[in-house]
């Protein structure tokens, strides 16, 4: 009998992420860092893994509320999908991420930490609204890669007719 081949046998974690836009078309991102190395930082969209039998849409809204305190939102279409793999907090995370458009009038966010998990409390420094131009000029890594370009296209062309499959990303 053949032995499992590790990466081939690993199941991808199902993740729902939110591209949250305010009335000025700014996007809300969280500022993350490696718990064991706070100098390793990046920006990323709200979201996380599905719990129990919830749908991706339910997970997107739950994660958004937990991570930002924002609940007054209108969930839009699925924009993008990507497979990614990255090291974080002493392990490798292999994820199948779905990105949903979400609009809000609510621009006041809770201090990151209110609904965060213990690991998130040790790895999220805060939140910030970004214009597409600010995002394009960011000096820290932003995930998904090419977010500024993807956001610019979204703002000019509107949501795609079908979800765009982004390049697989391995960090």
């Amino acid at each position: 009998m053949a032995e499992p081949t590790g990466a081939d046998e690993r199941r991808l974690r199902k993740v729902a992420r939110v591209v949250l836009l305010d009335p000025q078309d700014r996007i809300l991102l969280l500022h993350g860092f490696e718990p064991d190395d706070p100098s390793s930082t990046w920006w990323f969209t709200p979201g996380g893994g599905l719990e129990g039998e919830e749908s991706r849409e339910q997970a997107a809204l739950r994660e958004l509320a937990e991570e930002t305190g924002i609940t007054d939102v209108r969930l839009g279409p699925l924009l993008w999908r990507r497979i990614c793999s990255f090291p974080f907090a002493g392990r490798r995370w292999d994820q199948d991420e779905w990105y949903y458009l979400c609009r809000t009038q609510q621009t006041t966010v809770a201090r990151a930490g209110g609904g965060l998990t213990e690991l998130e409390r040790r790895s999220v420094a805060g939140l910030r609204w970004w214009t597409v131009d600010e995002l394009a000029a960011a000096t820290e890594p932003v995930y998904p890669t090419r977010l500024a370009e993807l956001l610019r296209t979204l703002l000019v062309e509107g949501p795609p007719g079908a979800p765009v499959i982004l390049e697989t990303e391995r960090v």
Side-chain angles (χ1 to χ4, degrees), residues 84-134:
C84 63
S85 178
F86 55 92
F88 176 69
R91 65 171 272 219
R92 178 152 291 276
W93 300 74
D94 298 305
Q95 301 190 155
D96 176 12
E97 298 184 338
W98 292 20
Y99 291 79
Y100 290 90
L101 177 60
C102 207
R103 291 269 186 187
T104 188
Q105 299 292 315
Q106 181 182 345
T107 56
T108 302
V109 295
R111 161 91 173 87
L116 299 181
T117 66
E118 186 273 332
L119 178 57
E120 289 168 333
R121 282 191 297 278
R122 292 190 301 119
S123 62
V124 175
L127 307 129
R128 177 182 162 196
W129 290 99
W130 295 72
T131 66
V132 70
D133 291 334
E134 290 170 335

Side-chain angles (χ1 to χ4, degrees), residues 21-134:
L21 301 180
D22 75 358
Q24 289 77 45
D25 288 334
R26 296 179 304 168
I27 186 171
L28 184 66
L29 298 179
L30 285 82
H31 195 207
F33 60 92
E34 179 62 44
D36 296 327
D37 180 11
S39 69
S40 177
T41 61
W42 58 87
W43 292 90
F44 64 103
T45 58
L50 277 63
E51 293 181 356
E53 298 296 316
E54 73 184 346
S55 69
R56 298 250 189 180
E57 294 86 353
Q58 290 167 329
L61 293 173
R62 176 186 50 76
E63 287 283 343
L64 182 64
E66 289 175 0
E67 294 177 348
T68 71
I70 295 178
T71 57
D72 182 15
V73 297
R74 184 170 39 93
L75 187 64
L78 175 60
L79 300 172
W80 315 310
R81 290 181 59 183
R82 83 168 180 158
I83 303 294
C84 63
S85 178
F86 55 92
F88 176 69
R91 65 171 272 219
R92 178 152 291 276
W93 300 74
D94 298 305
Q95 301 190 155
D96 176 12
E97 298 184 338
W98 292 20
Y99 291 79
Y100 290 90
L101 177 60
C102 207
R103 291 269 186 187
T104 188
Q105 299 292 315
Q106 181 182 345
T107 56
T108 302
V109 295
R111 161 91 173 87
L116 299 181
T117 66
E118 186 273 332
L119 178 57
E120 289 168 333
R121 282 191 297 278
R122 292 190 301 119
S123 62
V124 175
L127 307 129
R128 177 182 162 196
W129 290 99
W130 295 72
T131 66
V132 70
D133 291 334
E134 290 170 335

